[in-house]
Amino acid sequence: MFIEDLDRQRWSFREARQHVARLILRQIELAGTPPSGAQGAAPQWYRSGDPVQQAQEIAMRELLIALKDGDLHATGRLSKQRRERYASGSSSWDFHSGHQEAILPHQWREGRFGFQENLELRDGEFIDIRVPRFAVKAIWLDLPPSPGGTEPAYTTPYLELMQAAIGAFQMSDRAQAKKENLVAWFLEQEIDGEPVSENLANAMATLIRLPSSQRGGSRRIG
């Protein structure tokens, strides 16, 4: 590979997690179990049978391990200016840099990764965390073709998300989830790092339900 051919696209942490989670979910669907070494640490929601959330949690754990061990390198926008919020008693950080800078492995080990995908340190905070796409794909390879040598069936992130919803709600021809619950679930998901729009959520919720369910012909579940 020549340097000018290098894939310089950088993924957000969320995009990287979605990529890893999709691979894990596919492995769970093919094998019926999480990847080797992950099952023993499966929390309560896995035992209740939510493969989508299981895949997301395993993906988060694997990414953080790779970052802490230095196998994957990330950058972020740093702030060292603390802002006190006297009303709530909490604190946050202001004036984050406009430039990306490297996050070192020891900072991942010592810091606290938050729900907003920020890394808070004792003396600062990284936001807008990015990882090289080529590095993520080099560590978490796409699944190989089936043993017969045939290519896997064609799919798209939209189809995969709809299949995930069917599994999450345990839908069948005798048990149809309520459309409003499906829409709410879809709105919490992302496709290729982008939030699902309300129009798309409504469309997907309609497509995975039976036509008869629109007329009240099937038993509804949560």
Side-chain angles (χ1 to χ4, degrees):
M1 174 189 290
F2 295 101
I3 191 65
E4 57 266 23
D5 297 326
L6 182 67
D7 179 6
R8 297 184 179 277
Q9 178 69 34
R10 303 187 73 81
W11 269 345
S12 68
F13 189 94
R14 185 167 301 180
E15 288 174 309
R17 187 182 64 187
Q18 290 294 107
H19 170 79
V20 178
R22 274 200 296 269
L23 297 179
I24 293 171
L25 182 60
R26 191 170 301 170
Q27 185 169 344
I28 292 171
E29 291 170 346
L30 292 174
T33 60
S36 175
Q39 190 171 11
Q44 178 61 41
W45 45 255
Y46 171 62
R47 294 192 291 273
S48 67
D50 186 349
V52 178
Q53 190 170 358
Q54 179 200 14
Q56 290 284 345
E57 291 291 335
I58 295 173
M60 171 79 79
R61 185 162 60 248
E62 290 201 1
L63 281 166
L64 289 177
I65 289 172
L67 290 162
K68 291 175 182 179
D69 288 348
D71 299 316
L72 181 65
H73 297 277
T75 61
R77 293 166 46 215
L78 177 65
S79 168
K80 288 183 172 289
Q81 178 66 47
R82 186 184 294 273
R83 180 182 71 228
E84 298 294 340
R85 294 180 178 174
Y86 298 104
S88 63
S90 62
S91 65
S92 62
W93 301 86
D94 256 338
F95 307 115
H96 293 83
S97 171
H99 302 283
Q100 295 275 324
E101 58 182 271
I103 306 176
L104 301 178
H106 77 85
Q107 291 174 311
W108 284 104
R109 293 192 294 267
E110 297 168 2
R112 180 175 58 191
F113 189 70
F115 289 108
Q116 295 182 338
E117 298 180 350
N118 59 311
L119 179 64
E120 186 167 5
L121 311 172
R122 290 184 178 181
D123 59 349
E125 178 192 56
F126 284 101
I127 64 170
D128 190 20
I129 294 172
R130 302 276 168 173
V131 292
R133 180 172 64 181
F134 81 88
V136 176
K137 289 190 171 186
I139 299 172
W140 292 277
L141 300 172
D142 288 322
L143 291 178
S146 60
T150 58
E151 292 294 327
Y154 172 78
T155 187
T156 71
Y158 304 102
L159 291 174
E160 290 179 1
L161 187 58
M162 288 191 285
Q163 288 289 350
I166 292 171
F169 284 86
Q170 300 181 346
M171 294 173 64
S172 69
D173 57 348
R174 296 177 61 84
Q176 294 284 285
K178 295 179 181 179
K179 182 177 179 180
E180 56 266 30
N181 292 343
L182 289 168
V183 170
W185 187 87
F186 280 122
L187 289 173
E188 294 175 351
Q189 312 306 313
E190 291 185 346
I191 295 178
D192 286 346
E194 296 294 330
V196 174
S197 69
E198 188 168 354
N199 286 340
L200 182 56
N202 273 286
M204 290 193 293
T206 298
L207 290 172
I208 64 173
R209 299 175 76 236
L210 294 172
S212 60
S213 67
Q214 316 297 329
R215 304 186 294 271
S218 298
R219 183 172 67 88
R220 293 185 176 184
I221 60 176

